[in-house]
Amino acid sequence: MRDRGEDAFRVLYRRHTPVLYRLALRLLGEGAGAEDVVQEAWIRAAERLALFRFESSLRTWLVGILLNCVREARRRGSSGDPLSAEEAASPPVVGDAIDLERAIGGLADGYRRVLVLHDVLGHTHREIAALLGVDEGTSKSQLFLARRALRRRLGPVTRGSP
Amino acid sequence: MTEDEELTPEEEAALRALPREAEPPPALEERVVGALRDRGLVARRRPVSWNSLAAGLVLFAAGLVAGRWLPARPAHPAEPVYLLLLYAGPDRTTGDEAARAHEYGAWAASLRKDGRLLGAERLGSEQRVLGEGSLAELPAPRGYFLFRASDMQEALAIARTCPHLRHGGQVAVQPLDPV
């Protein structure tokens, strides 16, 4: 991507966009809003590539840019209902997975964001702190509260049991 | 219902099992590529044309990779843009023109490597003046460079390294109007 070749960009796009797109769907919901933020994220990534210092993986860096685009989209009010997007994006599976997606979609934005980054995507608190511009303690406390809120949404039945 | 901070193994497995990827709509890739092209952030696929070089595509461009001009990486998207116009200087028929062209091309390449260069062209000698002003003839620039710099001071510092000055020419530096 640094040499600005289109073919090189398409390789990167295809490698990283599925994760970015899924993250945007989970955080924003409505399909068109997710596409817009993914597009905006790639534009900013291309503009800021000179600033990428390899202090994180390229994927983490792209996620950080996407999170900023999502935040701005939410402020503009151009997001939809995460629940409806998960219904549209998920295959017609009956059972726990849909309930879990619905429950995540119903969380408050901040809870949903940290829970998805940590428990779904596997980012560490250190990475999340850098991505969200908070300290690690805040990330941990937000995750604790997010998990508690998720459990309350799911109800008393243990989810994900075999 | 547990209030523990940690996930149960079942909870952790269920969350980690959620899909991490979603196939984006195929049209999104073309939208993104198109948007990057419009902003000059990716180079269009363009066949190398030696005929187009012979037709006077910039001898400066001869110093660039494989005769194909790639859009520059901006130093910073917010930095202002400056136009460097080249005046006077050696005639094309005097001295070692190929060596000079290589020198100018190398200078352009160094600007691009720093993420500054937005454009560079040599201009032809024919000039036609239009309009109702009193000037029948205006100074005819020999070429131009378009590059990013943080301010006029930096733009001048860059301009002072332009090889055109070493060959007896003059240069003018002007910022693009940001409005």
Side-chain angles (χ1 to χ4, degrees):
Chain A
M1 195 165 161
R2 285 187 188 269
D3 70 359
R4 302 286 161 173
E6 182 177 317
D7 291 341
F9 171 75
R10 288 182 184 271
V11 169
L12 282 178
Y13 174 92
R14 291 166 187 168
R15 184 180 304 162
H16 296 290
T17 297
V19 169
L20 299 177
Y21 184 58
R22 168 59 73 176
L23 181 58
L25 284 173
R26 280 209 172 93
L27 296 180
L28 279 178
E30 189 262 328
E35 292 177 40
D36 290 343
V37 297
V38 168
Q39 175 177 317
E40 182 61 27
W42 276 116
I43 291 171
R44 292 189 193 183
E47 289 173 342
R48 297 174 188 179
L49 189 60
L51 303 176
F52 181 51
R53 296 285 178 252
F54 297 98
E55 291 162 346
S56 66
S57 70
L58 181 62
R59 172 71 58 79
T60 300
W61 184 68
L62 291 170
V63 165
I65 293 175
L66 183 86
L67 290 174
N68 286 331
C69 293
V70 166
R71 188 159 41 234
E72 291 170 18
R74 284 212 161 276
R75 276 203 290 265
R76 288 194 302 268
S78 58
S79 59
D81 176 10
L83 297 177
S84 63
E86 287 310 320
E87 285 183 65
S90 301
V93 172
V94 177
D96 297 341
I98 282 198
D99 290 332
L100 187 52
E101 291 278 19
R102 286 177 191 270
I104 292 172
L107 293 174
D109 293 346
Y111 290 171
R112 185 177 344 122
R113 192 165 53 220
V114 71
L115 187 115
V116 168
L117 288 173
H118 188 277
D119 290 346
V120 179
L121 295 181
H123 287 286
T124 64
H125 284 296
R126 183 177 179 182
E127 289 172 333
I128 294 170
L131 286 169
L132 300 182
V134 300
D135 57 52
E136 288 187 44
T138 300
S139 176
K140 290 176 182 174
S141 63
Q142 284 288 296
L143 181 64
F144 171 77
L145 295 172
R147 286 171 173 174
R148 187 167 64 183
L150 181 67
R151 290 188 181 110
R152 286 175 178 164
R153 286 194 153 266
L154 289 170
V157 181
T158 301
R159 315 307 305 177
S161 51
Chain B
M1 179 172 59
T2 176
E3 289 290 311
D4 289 348
E5 185 173 336
E6 297 300 321
L7 294 171
T8 66
E10 293 81 9
E11 289 170 333
E12 185 173 352
L15 285 164
R16 292 297 167 108
L18 290 176
R20 298 187 177 194
E21 299 185 355
E23 195 60 35
L28 179 58
E29 180 172 334
E30 297 312 312
R31 265 179 58 190
V32 172
V33 172
L36 295 184
R37 275 199 213 116
D38 291 344
R39 290 162 175 78
L41 295 170
V42 291
R44 291 179 179 275
R45 292 189 180 111
R46 184 184 300 178
V48 174
S49 168
W50 295 106
N51 285 339
S52 66
L53 284 178
L57 243 200
V58 184
L59 279 178
F60 304 155
L64 305 179
V65 178
R68 183 181 72 182
W69 186 74
L70 297 174
R73 175 182 60 220
H76 192 285
E79 280 187 353
V81 180
Y82 291 84
L83 177 66
L84 176 72
L85 291 167
L86 313 183
Y87 292 95
D91 186 76
R92 196 184 293 203
T93 60
T94 61
D96 190 345
E97 174 63 13
R100 280 198 297 271
H102 182 78
E103 191 179 357
Y104 284 60
W107 190 70
S110 71
L111 289 182
R112 185 166 12 86
K113 185 182 175 187
D114 289 343
R116 299 188 179 283
L117 186 68
L118 298 175
E121 293 286 349
R122 169 180 273 179
L123 299 176
S125 58
E126 185 179 12
Q127 182 196 62
R128 293 288 185 265
V129 179
L130 301 176
E132 297 184 7
S134 60
L135 298 172
E137 186 175 321
L138 295 168
R142 303 284 299 279
Y144 76 86
F145 291 87
L146 204 61
F147 63 92
R148 290 197 185 274
S150 56
D151 52 29
M152 177 60 88
Q153 190 174 1
E154 185 176 60
L156 288 173
I158 293 169
R160 287 191 190 98
T161 67
C162 178
H164 197 65
L165 295 173
R166 290 196 293 279
H167 295 290
Q170 289 180 289
V171 300
V173 181
Q174 269 179 269
L176 265 59
D177 192 331
V179 176

